[in-house]
Every structure is written in structure tokens, then in C-alpha cells.
Amino acid sequence: MVSVRSVVDRVGPTLLHALQVPDDSPAVADVVIAEPGGALTLSAGDLVLGVATTGPEDAAELVKQSAGQGAAAVLLKPPLAAKPAVKRAAKASGIALIQVHAATSWAQLVWLLRTVLDALADESEDLDPGSGDLFRLADAVASVVDAPVTIEDTNSRVLAYSARQDLTDSARVATIMGRRIPDDVLARFRSRGVFRELSRGRQTIFVPAQRDGTLPRLIVPIRMGGELLGSMWAVVAGPVSDERAAAFADAAPVVALHLLRRRAHTDAQRRASAELLRAVLEGRANPRKAMAELDLSDEPHRVVVIEVTGGAGRDAEGLRLALLERISQGIGSRPVATELGGLLYAVVPDRPGPGGWAELRQALLAQPASRRGGASRAAAGSPGGIGDLSASRAQADEALGLLRAEILAERVIAFDEAWTALTLHRGATAASAARVADLGPLGVLRAHDESGKAGYVETLYEWLRHPGDPRAAARELRIHPNTLRYRMRKLLELVPLDLDDPDVRLALLTQLVAVRWS
């Protein structure tokens, strides 16, 4: 059982402070954001984040509603959390009240809390008693070096950190909140040659205090068999004795063994999950099994297909993996994803809140083009149940085809939004297969355009698209309305057509759509 107290202790007093925790608080299950103005639907054990709560009355009402639905705790920022009315409501309702540090980003807190919940759940289930828990290991190392510790991978992402927070600075707080060393802090450490020294295999690295207030660091590389697996960072008050530094370095092999076991376990899980997800996308998996093993919630989901251009072979694979990692960091929870045929497929809930399609869409739109000139294109299928994901995948593929053909100008699109383009494309494909463009006089106009570049086919298409509005048709063609009228007169001399007949206009438009959209 994961308790409110254990979550607060694990996150640490730098970010969370428990104002009230009843002895009979329910076990923590998940993290939920209270949307502004939205209906509050909770499950037993939820941690409720009062993101948009603005006044004491709203905060007290949120506390009462959360308690009424069995939530474990309400998290608020100062000064709301400490307001007497809010504290009275929490006490009367018997729910835990947690104060969040004012500078904490709510999005980062969601990511951090979910990570902590996963770690505590693994610890309570004792899934791998031989390897132990990485957070407990960080606590043990902190006691050895007598300083707060973070354990990081080779990309400076935080894997675990000690509960001890007695010595800290803004760089450590930002690192824990963001689950990685911030870019500006990273640049300062890099300029001091820290990462160069790590790659060279030095046993310990001491970095003095910096002018911006960053405290000294004692850093130890984590290696196994010559491979750099990560590093341990201790926040220290000043130079460390040789004995303490040696004791810190002696802990590295133990952490390395844990990281290797963790990697093997994670790789095996990832392969199994990827294979199950592929079966789901191809309609070969049992929906109940997929929901349980992929940890999918019982709500409508979309399949999102993502194409990254600008690389080939290993470069393309690296771009896809990097994009998945950035998406994961951007939306606060890692989507269920796999690769198929050089494309990245993700399954996300069709919800407006954290971790849903709307947030993933924003993260994709925010991705810049790669240095090699590539940019991501993405399309989402319609929402549906777990058993409908194969159909959603087919829809996502079809919508992506429109983006690839540049029929649509967007980089990210949903299938249900692109119905007009899909209707025209499907109709054009069927009409093209029936060779409708070969009927009647259209072939004469096309042949004339190919020989003389008169633009008659394009002119007729826009004229039919904008009936009775030659100015709009001319704007589409980027010509003067008089030029449009001249072309129409000349093409009617070449091919006599009764454009007053609605059936003639409809037949011509069907042919032209087949030419343009197939």
C-alpha cells in the first residue's frame, strides 16, 4: 500500500509539506488535476491537484468534494493551503491536505508524483528483492557520503534521489522537479569540463561552488565493464575528505549492478509491451489482456501515427526515439508506443487533460524541425474502445497519407477533423479506378494544357468550385478576373460545353476531383 505520508516523504520537503494527514487516509492510487470549471470525477485514493483554484472558498469546496469521492489528499499552493477555512474543511472531511512549494510547476509535479508512485508501488510489491529499489539505494548512498544524492543516467535524467533535503540549492530543486538537470545548469557544468572528466573514467570529481549560488558537487561515474551507465551527484558544503570521497566512490559498483538489472528488466518489459501493442494495432489481441498488461484506462483511446523525416537508417531510428522521449517529457506521462514499418505509433486517451490526445497534439506541434531539416508529421484515428484500436490505426494511416501527399497543409491532424479531404480523396480514388476522367471532352483540355500550358483544366476546376463568383476563382488561380473570363471563353471555343446544365457541371467536377485528389 502506498500511503500519502510515504509519497510526501519520498518527494521531500523541498517540494511538498504535509499540513494534515489523517491516520486512516486511503492508499494513494493516482494523480488527478482538478480542471477549472469542470465536473470533478475522482476515484478512491486520488491525489487531487488544485491547479486552477483561486480563492479560499473554491479551495474549501474542492477539499469537500474530493473527500466525498474518496480521494486521498488535496494539493494546493500557498497561501491557499494554509488558509483557516481550507484547513477546517480538510479536518472536518478527514482528508489529507498538502502544501506545494510556490515555485513548483504543476506539469512537472504530475510527472514527479507519478514516477514516485511507480517506484513506491514496485517497492511495496517487492518485484525484484535481489536488486532493491533505486530510491532506497540513493538514501543509503546519501548516508554514506553524508549529503543529498541524485542518481542520473548518461543523459542527465534523474533516475532516483535521496529523501534527505537538508542541503540544497535551486539547481537541485529544478533537477528534481524536472527529472533532469536544467539546460542552463547543464551548460555551466559542461563548461567546467565535468562531463569530459566523467567520460575519462575519473573516480571522483569535485566541482566548487559557483557564482550563481550553486553549491559544490561531488560526482562519481557509474561504470560496469568499461561502459558508462550514469553518475551520482552529491550536494556538499565544501571540499570533501578523501575518506568520504572514497566511500562515495565505493558505492558506484553497487549502483551499477542495480542499473544493469533495471535495464534488463525494463528492456524485457518494453519488448513484451511492444509486441502486445503491435498485436492490438493489428487486431490480434484480446482487449481485456491489452488493457491489463498495457495499463490502459477504460475510456476511449486514439491511435496516433508519427512520421519523422530528415534521416535514414540508424539516424531515422534515433530521431524517432528522441521524439518519443521529448513527447514523454512534454505531456507528463509516457504514452504506450511502438514502432511499425519505420513509423511511431502511440495509443493515448481521448481526453483534454494530462496525458491525453489534446496534450500530445500540442507537444507534437511544439516540436521544431530537426537539424537535418526533418519535421514530424502525425495523424490520429478516431476515438474508440480498446477493441477498436486496429480501426483507429487504419484511420490514422489514411490521414497520414493525406499529409504525406501534401493534400492537407497541417503537420498534425485528426481523422474526424479531415472528413472533407477524406471524402474527396476516397471519392477521387474510386472515380479514378473507374477511369471517369477518360469520358467526355476533359481529355482534350488536358492534352491542350500539356502541349500549350494554357491552364484550362485548372481554370475550369476553380470556376466550378466557385459558381457565380469569378473573383474568388481568380484569386485561387492568382490571376485577374478578366484573365479568368478570357480563359473560360477560349476553352469553351476549344470544347463546347453546356455549363448551364447542372448535370454537366456535376459530371465535370467529379472528373476534375478524380484528377486532383486521387
Side-chain angles (χ1 to χ4, degrees), residues 10 155-156 229 233 341 360 449:
R10 178 55 55 84
N155 293 315
S156 300
L229 303 175
W233 297 59
L360 174 57
D449 281 354

Side-chain angles (χ1 to χ4, degrees), residues 174-492:
T175 297
I176 291 175
M177 285 169 54
R179 302 296 289 162
R180 62 170 293 131
I181 298 179
D183 291 340
D184 58 334
V185 178
L186 201 63
R188 290 197 293 272
F189 282 124
R190 185 173 286 115
S191 68
R192 288 174 170 262
V194 170
F195 297 98
R196 185 168 58 251
E197 295 296 331
L198 277 173
S199 64
R200 289 175 178 173
R202 286 192 56 182
Q203 192 175 24
T204 58
I205 303 164
F206 177 74
V207 182
Q210 301 183 41
R211 293 180 180 179
D212 63 350
T214 302
L215 295 173
R217 296 294 195 273
L218 184 64
I219 309 165
V220 169
I222 303 171
R223 293 181 173 277
M224 182 65 75
E227 180 186 359
L228 181 65
L229 303 175
S231 56
M232 294 188 295
W233 297 59
V235 180
V236 294
V240 176
S241 67
D242 292 342
E243 292 77 10
R244 276 178 64 193
F248 191 27
D250 286 345
V254 180
V255 178
L257 182 61
H258 184 98
L259 292 183
L260 285 175
R261 288 174 175 170
R262 175 191 174 106
R263 186 166 70 181
H265 180 66
T266 301
D267 287 348
Q269 284 187 320
R270 187 180 293 117
R271 285 194 298 270
S273 296
E275 182 54 41
L276 177 58
L277 181 55
R278 292 187 189 104
V280 169
L281 296 178
E282 294 168 359
R284 299 184 286 107
N286 181 288
R288 289 186 178 275
K289 179 183 178 183
M291 285 184 64
E293 296 193 16
L294 296 175
D295 196 24
L296 297 173
S297 54
D298 188 14
E299 60 183 312
H301 283 70
R302 292 178 185 263
V303 174
V304 182
V305 58
I306 305 165
E307 179 185 48
V308 181
T309 59
R314 291 185 178 180
D315 286 343
E317 182 181 6
L319 288 171
R320 288 192 295 272
L321 293 175
L323 176 62
L324 176 59
E325 198 62 37
R326 291 199 302 271
I327 290 170
S328 303
Q329 294 170 4
I331 67 172
S333 61
R334 190 178 188 88
V336 180
T338 188
E339 284 192 80
L340 273 174
L343 298 172
L344 188 63
Y345 288 88
V347 176
V348 294
D350 185 45
R351 68 164 88 109
W357 158 237
E359 195 171 16
L360 174 57
R361 182 179 196 155
Q362 290 303 314
L364 287 165
L365 288 170
Q367 297 303 321
S370 72
R371 293 179 180 178
R372 294 182 177 89
S376 60
R377 286 191 288 251
S382 296
I386 304 304
D388 301 322
L389 288 182
S390 59
S392 184
R393 182 252 175 120
Q395 293 172 345
D397 286 338
E398 184 178 3
L400 180 64
L402 298 182
L403 300 183
R404 283 173 159 175
E406 298 183 352
I407 292 174
L408 296 173
E410 293 88 348
R411 282 201 305 117
V412 181
I413 193 70
F415 180 85
D416 35 319
E417 298 167 349
W419 70 270
T420 53
L422 289 162
T423 299
L424 290 169
H425 186 257
R426 288 186 182 184
T429 302
S432 181
R435 302 184 67 178
V436 297
D438 295 345
L439 304 173
L442 183 63
V444 176
L445 294 178
R446 296 175 70 184
H448 189 80
D449 281 354
E450 289 174 3
S451 61
K453 298 182 180 180
Y456 287 165
V457 172
E458 188 79 9
T459 300
L460 181 60
Y461 177 68
E462 295 299 340
W463 189 88
L464 291 168
R465 282 187 70 225
H466 300 87
D469 192 355
R471 292 186 179 276
R475 279 197 302 271
E476 290 291 331
L477 294 166
R478 297 181 181 179
I479 60 176
H480 193 276
N482 289 340
T483 305
L484 173 73
R485 295 185 183 95
Y486 173 78
R487 285 188 186 177
M488 288 298 300
R489 187 168 62 251
K490 297 301 289 184
L491 75 85
L492 289 175

Side-chain angles (χ1 to χ4, degrees), residues 58-215:
D58 292 339
E61 183 60 28
L62 176 62
V63 166
K64 294 174 185 176
Q65 289 186 28
S66 301
Q69 297 187 44
V74 174
L75 285 74
L76 297 166
K77 288 189 177 183
L80 284 180
K83 290 290 184 181
V86 179
K87 295 174 75 172
R88 284 196 301 269
K91 187 173 182 179
S93 304
I95 189 172
L97 181 62
I98 310 299
Q99 181 168 277
V100 180
H101 189 278
T104 304
S105 160
W106 286 112
Q108 291 172 337
L109 184 62
V110 170
W111 174 277
L112 179 58
L113 286 171
R114 286 177 175 160
T115 302
V116 167
L117 286 177
D118 289 343
L120 289 172
D122 288 349
E123 182 177 322
S124 63
E125 294 171 13
D126 204 19
L127 295 178
D128 192 359
S131 63
D133 176 69
L134 200 55
F135 279 88
R136 285 185 295 174
L137 194 54
D139 288 336
V141 175
S143 65
V144 169
V145 73
D146 192 25
V149 167
T150 56
I151 300 174
E152 303 173 10
D153 66 10
T154 53
N155 293 315
S156 300
R157 289 174 299 204
V158 176
L159 302 176
Y161 56 91
S162 63
R164 178 174 172 174
Q165 307 284 354
D166 55 317
L167 188 63
T168 191
D169 54 21
S170 60
R172 176 176 166 83
V173 172
T175 297
I176 291 175
M177 285 169 54
R179 302 296 289 162
R180 62 170 293 131
I181 298 179
D183 291 340
D184 58 334
V185 178
L186 201 63
R188 290 197 293 272
F189 282 124
R190 185 173 286 115
S191 68
R192 288 174 170 262
V194 170
F195 297 98
R196 185 168 58 251
E197 295 296 331
L198 277 173
S199 64
R200 289 175 178 173
R202 286 192 56 182
Q203 192 175 24
T204 58
I205 303 164
F206 177 74
V207 182
Q210 301 183 41
R211 293 180 180 179
D212 63 350
T214 302
L215 295 173

